[in-house]
Every structure is written in C-alpha cells, then in structure tokens.
C-alpha cells in the first residue's frame, strides 16, 4: 500500500496482559491514496520498535507499507480512538512481517501531495463556528464536526 500520511498519534505504552510486569507499545496513523479512500494503520510491539517506527515518518510523508495484516475493524470501538474511515478494514503492522518505507511524494506520485489538503468528512457534515455560537444550547452534548483553518501561531 502506498499513501500519504494524513494523521498520526503519539506512542503510548500499556501493561502487557500476557507478560505481567512488562509493557506493549502502540501508535496509529492514517494514510490516504485517493480523494475517497483512506485507512487507519495500527502498530503494536516492543518499545524500541514502536518508537523507531513512529520517528521514521511524519504527517505529510509518503509511505509504502509492505505485508500488513488486513483486519476487519470493530466500527464502534475503533472509531472512538481513530479517525472514521470509509473502509471496513484496518491495517496492522507486525515487527516480524511488515515493513514501512518512507519516500518523497515527488518520487512516488505528486498527486498524493494534494490529498493532504482534502477534508476527510463530507462537506455537508460540518458546523460553522457561527452556527455553534448561535445554537449552542440545542447542540449541547452532541458530537460535532468543525472545519477550521489556523490563521496564525504565536
């Protein structure tokens, strides 16, 4: 699978249920290869493997993923912690079988770069800040999608 990384989580550690007293590490990222399709990728493993893999690329990089495990996603649980994707699958990276290679998007396909700037949600599924301000009470407790742009950072 070749795509551009459009999102990425930080590395997290969890107690390993199989080996009491040790930890397993994980991080996730989302790749996109067309305007319509993107998929979440999860990786679990030893701390040094996960940290090294996470540091090997960043959002905006093009990656080639070789030998991922394709799994059906558990929509309700998966989408609580990862971006909602149009696919009913997710990719799982294994330290022993999978490889992630980073390359310049110019080397792969310049069309991938334009995918970075496309929203991942339906354009009709957003609230403007004005709508939220005007209808704040009626929206209380609801999960909303907001499309915004950063004007400045200081």
């Amino acid at each position: 699978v070749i795509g551009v990384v459009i999102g990425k989580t930080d590395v997290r550690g969890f107690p390993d249920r199989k080996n009491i007293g040790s930890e397993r590490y994980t991080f996730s990222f989302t790749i996109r290869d067309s305007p319509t399709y993107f998929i979440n990728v999860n990786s679990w493993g030893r701390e040094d493997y996960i940290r090294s893999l996470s540091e090997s690329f960043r959002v905006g990089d093009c990656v080639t993923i070789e030998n991922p495990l394709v799994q059906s996603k558990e929509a309700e649980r998966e989408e609580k912690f990862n971006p909602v994707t149009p696919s009913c699958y997710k990719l799982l990276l294994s330290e022993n079988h999978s490889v992630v290679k980073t390359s310049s998007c110019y080397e792969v396909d310049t069309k991938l770069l334009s995918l970075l700037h496309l929203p991942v949600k339906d354009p009709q599924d957003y609230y403007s800040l004005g709508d939220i301000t005007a209808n704040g009470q009626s929206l209380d407790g609801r999960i909303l999608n907001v499309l915004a742009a950063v004007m400045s950072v200081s």
Side-chain angles (χ1 to χ4, degrees), residues 5-9 12 27-32 38-42 59 73-90 119-121 145:
V5 177
I6 62 169
K8 186 176 163 190
T9 67
R12 296 183 317 258
F27 84 102
S28 303
F29 59 100
T30 306
I31 63 167
R32 187 176 213 164
F38 47 98
I39 193 166
N40 291 320
V41 184
N42 298 323
V59 172
K73 69 180 177 186
E74 301 164 45
E76 207 168 287
R77 200 177 113 219
E78 301 285 337
E79 293 174 352
K80 207 183 242 186
F81 304 105
N82 292 306
V84 177
T85 63
S87 173
C88 55
Y89 300 101
K90 65 180 177 181
V120 293
K121 293 280 189 176
N145 295 317

Side-chain angles (χ1 to χ4, degrees), residues 121-140:
K121 293 280 189 176
D122 177 350
Q124 306 305 314
D125 192 23
Y126 292 105
Y127 281 84
S128 71
L129 294 177
D131 289 341
I132 294 169
T133 303
N135 303 305
Q137 295 292 7
S138 64
L139 300 173
D140 189 30

Side-chain angles (χ1 to χ4, degrees), residues 39-50:
I39 193 166
N40 291 320
V41 184
N42 298 323
S43 186
W44 287 86
R46 297 176 301 111
E47 181 178 13
D48 56 340
Y49 165 70
I50 295 298

